[in-house]
Amino acid sequence: MTADPRATTAAAQYALLAALTAGGQAPPGFDETRIRTQAHALLTKRQRVARAHHTWLADALGPGYTAAFTAYARAHPLPAGRTGHADAEAFETYLRDRGELPARPRGRFRRRAGTPRRRGR
Amino acid sequence: MSGAVPDLGYGIGWRPAIDLTVERLPGVDFVEAIAEGLDPARLPPSLTALRARGVPAIPHGVSLSLGGAERPDPRKLAHLAACATALDTPLVSEHIAFTRAGGLDAGHLLPLPRTRETLAVLAENIRIAQDQLPVPLALENIAPLLAWPGDELTEGRFLYEVADRTGALLLLDVANLHAARVNLGVDPSAVLAELPLEQVAYVHVAGGVERDGLWHDTHTHPPTAPVLDLLTDLAGRTRIPGVLLERDGDYPSDPELAGELAAVRSAVARAGPAKPRGTGRTPAPHTRGPRADEPADPPHPAPHTAAPGPARRRADGP
């Protein structure tokens, strides 16, 4: 056993996680196909979590949501400790900065107190 | 540290999306709630109602990263401890996994290399967590999609060492054991033979799906026969204190969910009469002697011999 198990553990786990989420090379000895499968599973879960916080954005982007989120996630690996809520917000900011944020639907979200509820938009 | 394992019976994962379903489902003896989704100062009314009926609610952490290189985050530990106190729970649970490393987050539970070096770090992290928690900690085996190179210990031996070094209880997920079988070729029988079965606090059962030869632990399907067969196998080896069904999406109708819970009960019943705790384990080196606090023939009924409903409630519940 090495002198500092925490240091070697940190290096090994970072190398794997970087390969899974940050475009790093697969560390030696790992099955590269499995790395890709796990990476895809992590990306899918991250997207599912963000989407659940953001139904209006998922509706607005429609089938383009997955491609847009994938591009965002590849450029911005999930930082340690970030919640799904914060990740959804960061995705929104990413799209806004690029001029790709769709207009947020009005009506449903702008109803003031005392205004009668309208059916539909 | 571990103390006596309380009888839990049959339970289901409490989730906000199915709170009323879980509240009203007959035969739910205990529940489990994701700790990260709870505010201990403002518990959801549904959990409060369940607790008022004496149904135990176990906080289940998913982000402590106990297998990570860093010591567990004191704020996350304090949160888990506060959840345990607010819910007046008999135990809390977490995972044998890492979720973060070097500023990156997996957003998910990743497997650990089964080495003595990892074991040393993991055991120290678990002891740090135990020191901060007001109740015993149970640790769960995860569903692996990939394996580390250079494993030094078998899955069963690794779990044995974790429990032995820390006194932690085990939360044995039979669906994840099935995932390890399909994805990594792990033999579940060998794992069960090596485990300290007397330290299994409860068992997880969940559905998943096999795609392209890999098992994906989705929690959005009903438990399949191979998973229920593993539950039967385990129930034939030891008296299981509790079994909990996990469902995390594509929720079925209430009757279907009740049917899944009934299938879980049947799988345990198929094993026949309960055995005393801990039988069936192959004695491993470094095994401690029998614990004084562990009766050979426990006075509490096992899940499949217990009456459902009020009789299953904790005697010390509110």
Side-chain angles (χ1 to χ4, degrees):
Chain A
M1 191 173 288
T2 51
D4 185 0
R6 286 194 186 270
T8 46
T9 298
Q13 291 183 349
Y14 178 76
L16 175 60
L17 196 45
L20 293 173
T21 68
Q25 285 212 320
F30 280 91
D31 180 323
E32 293 195 23
T33 308
R34 290 299 176 92
I35 293 271
R36 283 196 295 276
T37 304
Q38 179 74 77
H40 181 71
L42 294 182
L43 175 62
T44 303
K45 181 173 179 181
R46 182 178 174 187
Q47 184 201 144
R48 193 174 62 238
V49 170
R51 191 189 277 265
H53 284 277
H54 240 161
T55 45
W56 77 267
L57 184 56
D59 286 349
L61 289 174
Y65 185 93
T66 297
F69 191 88
T70 300
Y72 155 74
R74 292 221 166 105
H76 302 279
L78 193 62
R82 180 184 282 176
T83 62
H85 179 272
D87 199 36
E89 279 189 328
F91 178 41
E92 193 176 309
T93 302
Y94 163 89
L95 290 176
R96 185 181 296 115
D97 290 349
R98 296 165 62 91
E100 294 172 5
L101 186 68
R104 191 165 175 142
R106 290 160 179 268
R108 275 196 301 169
F109 299 99
R110 295 274 173 100
R111 190 167 59 88
R112 286 188 297 269
T115 318
R117 177 186 290 276
R118 288 179 299 161
R119 290 284 165 198
R121 303 265 171 96
Chain B
M1 178 68 204
S2 59
V5 179
D7 262 323
L8 294 166
Y10 291 90
I12 186 162
W14 181 93
R15 306 287 186 260
I18 52 168
D19 56 353
L20 274 177
T21 294
V22 172
E23 258 183 83
R24 293 171 184 172
L25 211 59
V28 171
D29 304 320
F30 76 110
V31 300
E32 183 186 76
I34 304 299
E36 283 78 355
L38 294 178
D39 176 351
R42 292 173 55 194
L43 290 177
S46 172
L47 275 182
T48 308
L50 284 161
R51 288 297 300 118
R53 275 162 43 194
V55 176
I58 299 173
H60 185 57
V62 296
S63 64
L64 264 187
S65 199
L66 287 171
E70 295 162 27
R71 289 171 178 80
D73 182 340
R75 285 167 304 176
K76 284 180 181 289
L77 270 178
H79 176 80
L80 190 55
C83 289
T85 301
L87 289 168
D88 187 26
T89 179
L91 67 155
V92 299
S93 52
E94 247 288 350
H95 298 85
I96 298 173
F98 80 102
T99 65
R100 292 183 292 282
L104 294 177
D105 207 306
H108 191 65
L109 305 156
L110 291 175
L112 302 176
R114 293 196 302 267
T115 61
R116 299 203 168 272
E117 192 167 63
T118 303
L119 206 46
V121 174
L122 173 63
E124 191 185 3
N125 286 348
I126 292 169
R127 284 192 290 264
I128 290 169
Q130 287 170 322
D131 283 347
Q132 301 301 317
L133 294 169
V135 291
L137 173 64
L139 295 165
E140 176 180 356
N141 58 307
I142 66 160
L145 267 177
L146 54 77
W148 286 77
D151 282 341
E152 297 166 0
L153 303 164
T154 62
E155 173 79 11
R157 182 69 204 194
F158 191 76
L159 294 173
Y160 175 89
E161 289 285 345
V162 169
D164 189 59
R165 290 178 184 213
T166 64
L169 299 170
L170 294 174
L171 162 49
L172 187 62
D173 189 316
V174 288
N176 293 352
L177 210 48
H178 178 64
R181 167 167 57 194
V182 175
N183 298 344
L184 307 181
V186 168
D187 175 9
S189 289
V191 176
L192 295 182
E194 283 189 289
L195 282 183
L197 293 177
E198 71 279 6
Q199 271 167 270
V200 174
Y202 63 111
V203 174
H204 269 177
V205 180
V209 65
E210 193 168 329
R211 275 196 303 264
D212 303 325
L214 288 177
W215 185 260
H216 296 267
D217 180 45
T218 62
H219 297 191
T220 57
H221 300 75
T224 52
V227 171
L228 293 173
D229 288 347
L230 280 178
L231 179 61
T232 305
D233 183 352
L234 176 65
R237 294 169 191 253
T238 188
R239 190 186 63 88
I240 307 173
V243 186
L244 185 124
L245 174 67
E246 292 185 291
R247 186 84 191 204
D248 282 290
D250 289 352
Y251 295 107
S253 68
D254 290 9
E256 282 175 282
L257 206 54
E260 289 181 24
L261 208 51
V264 168
R265 284 178 185 268
S266 301
V268 173
R270 272 199 296 279
K275 287 181 182 177
R277 300 225 58 193
T279 54
R281 174 158 60 96
T282 309
H286 320 300
T287 305
R288 293 173 312 222
R291 288 204 305 261
D293 61 353
E294 184 125 46
D297 195 3
H300 302 295
H304 60 288
T305 57
R312 304 277 320 120
R313 290 172 191 167
R314 288 171 66 207
D316 59 346

